[in-house]
Amino acid sequence: MDNINIEFNRNEDIMKRALSEMQQRFAQVALGGGKKAIAKQKEKNKLTARERISYLLDADTPFIEIGAFAGWEMYEEQGGCPSAGTVAGIGYVSGRQCVILANDQTVKAGAWFPITGKKNLRLQEIAMENRLPVIYLVDSAGVFLPMQDEIFPDKEHFGRIFRNNARMSAMGITQIAAVMGACVAGGAYLPIMSDETLMVEGNGSIFLAGPYLVKAAIGETIDTEALGGAVTHNAISGIADYKFKTEQECLDQVKKIMSKLGHPTKAGFDRIKPKAPKKEAQNIYGILPADATRPYDMLQIIEQIVDDSAFEPFKQDYGKTILCGYARIDGWAVGIVANQRTMVKSAKGEMQMGGVIYNDSADKAARFIMNCNQKKIPLVFLQDVTGFMVGSRSEHSGIIKDGAKMVNAVANSVVPKITVIVGNSYGAGNYAMCGKAYDPRFIYAWPSAKIAVMGGEQAAKTLLQIQVSAMKAKGSEVSPEEEQKLLNDIKGRYEKQTTPYYAAARLWVDAIIDPAQTRQIISESLTAANNNPDLPPFNTGVIQV
């Protein structure tokens, strides 16, 4: 028992240190362009992006920030791009759940980097998938010109945002734009393609070309306010709908507009009065091993998250390396698909490694996913997977066929899918357990998450063999010491690429979350998903049996 307690305490300490590191890093990105840039914002009587969102949000309601670590350790030669120069997430305004996007003017004057476009498109995707109203808080100088070729012309670049404005309008999704600073060039289309446009006098401006470019292009001399300020666009062009003296007055009007929105038809996912789990959420810190190769019982994790700690297993004695079953999370009925990390005995009496997907577990999961679609029950995936089982026995048993069956079911699933990467997320296991490529409505990672094509040790040794072989082919001799140094260098680079921060920087996950908040975040995600009643028919197409 003492050994168990020691292990629990050690795991807890390491997770708490990881959470402390996450909070420190968040505090760093929350400063945006830094204290000097924030001071300049204040000199202009402007709130920061985070202050604007805070003012808008209903008191004592949850806000799930999306992409806080987008751009982390990217664009360092350009001075960095904290949070992709945009603060965004899902919250409540006048009692309505909505998506909020705010340009951070302290980061390169709110300019758009490639990751900024990707982040804004992801938030629009969330709005479209979940039929959520969108509030844009506009304060941007437009495209970051030194990288214009990576943000301007392609399908998933800057222009796609305006295409989405039009598509969302056609879908009946309300879009409100509050122009609180610059809104330049192509970006000028965003507020005008929204349903209503609000402007702040003195700071808000909208134009295709600013005064300097106008002077260069046609020789006309004109100032910012006369060219595209709030008075001009409210009284002369008619482009804007409202003007206000202060940002607070502008945001108050946004709240009033939101308070009058009609209520949509819901999807009808089942929800009853919630029951708290019987076990403390913080216990998760001690359950998850600090060593990602060590086994543990995923069922204990599930019991910290679900109502009354009650889990109804599906095919409990079959395919034991994946747990499938029904539960409730904050009252919401869900189907849970989770990798089991303990060593288990198969129906044939063979010992199976935890975290590996075998033929029987893939078969079971595929059937369960189809059942949840039949019953209109949202799916929650808890990933801690090292991949599919390999070797002659698995290949001869048709592991590719069974894996394809599971991937097919995940890919064609029409009910909302919410993915939480708890630990490992390797190779095709990432795909089968609804990784980013398989359109989860939301995808989150714990600080313990590792995302890669394979584990760091295996990958480093594979890459080492290739590199050493190439060097020997050129006639170079490689000593054991040099080989070890090469291995350490490769492993270091590879392991950096597997961290949740590397994934969050590139928006492979929507957010890195505190494990103790998993239950609330899944619940809010399901609340968002319930706003879209339009589920297409479920059809898997051709599946090998």
Side-chain angles (χ1 to χ4, degrees), residues 314-315 324 326 361-373 405-406 409 538:
F314 173 81
K315 291 185 181 290
C324 296
Y326 303 103
S361 47
D363 179 66
K364 176 174 82 171
R367 177 62 180 269
F368 180 72
I369 291 164
M370 288 188 269
N371 279 355
C372 287
N373 277 271
K405 188 189 304 181
M406 182 178 174
F538 176 63

Side-chain angles (χ1 to χ4, degrees), residues 126-188:
I126 287 171
M128 287 188 281
E129 286 184 331
N130 300 289
R131 298 293 197 275
L132 294 176
V134 185
I135 299 171
Y136 304 101
L137 305 180
V138 185
D139 193 350
S140 171
V143 167
F144 184 63
L145 289 177
M147 303 186 77
Q148 63 86 27
D149 61 320
E150 297 180 48
I151 183 62
F152 168 64
D154 211 343
K155 181 178 178 180
E156 300 301 329
H157 283 178
F158 190 61
R160 185 79 171 182
I161 291 163
F162 316 132
R163 176 264 186 194
N164 287 350
N165 288 145
R167 291 294 305 128
M168 283 191 282
S169 183
M171 293 165 68
I173 297 172
T174 297
Q175 298 173 84
I176 302 166
V179 181
M180 318 186 91
C183 186
V184 184

Side-chain angles (χ1 to χ4, degrees), residues 413-427:
S413 179
V414 297
V415 295
K417 298 169 291 190
I418 298 166
T419 300
V420 181
I421 302 175
V422 171
N424 300 321
S425 180
Y426 293 155

Side-chain angles (χ1 to χ4, degrees), residues 52-58 92-93 135 137 251 254-255:
R52 290 165 178 166
I53 291 176
S54 179
Y55 188 91
L56 262 184
L57 292 172
D58 295 345
Y92 291 85
V93 177
I135 299 171
L137 305 180
L251 295 171
V254 172
K255 295 179 185 181

Side-chain angles (χ1 to χ4, degrees), residues 454-468 487 490-491:
M454 65 177 72
E457 192 72 33
Q458 302 96 306
K461 288 179 178 177
T462 302
L463 291 168
L464 176 68
Q465 289 172 10
I466 294 169
Q467 193 165 332
V468 168
L487 178 62
I490 293 168
K491 192 175 177 182

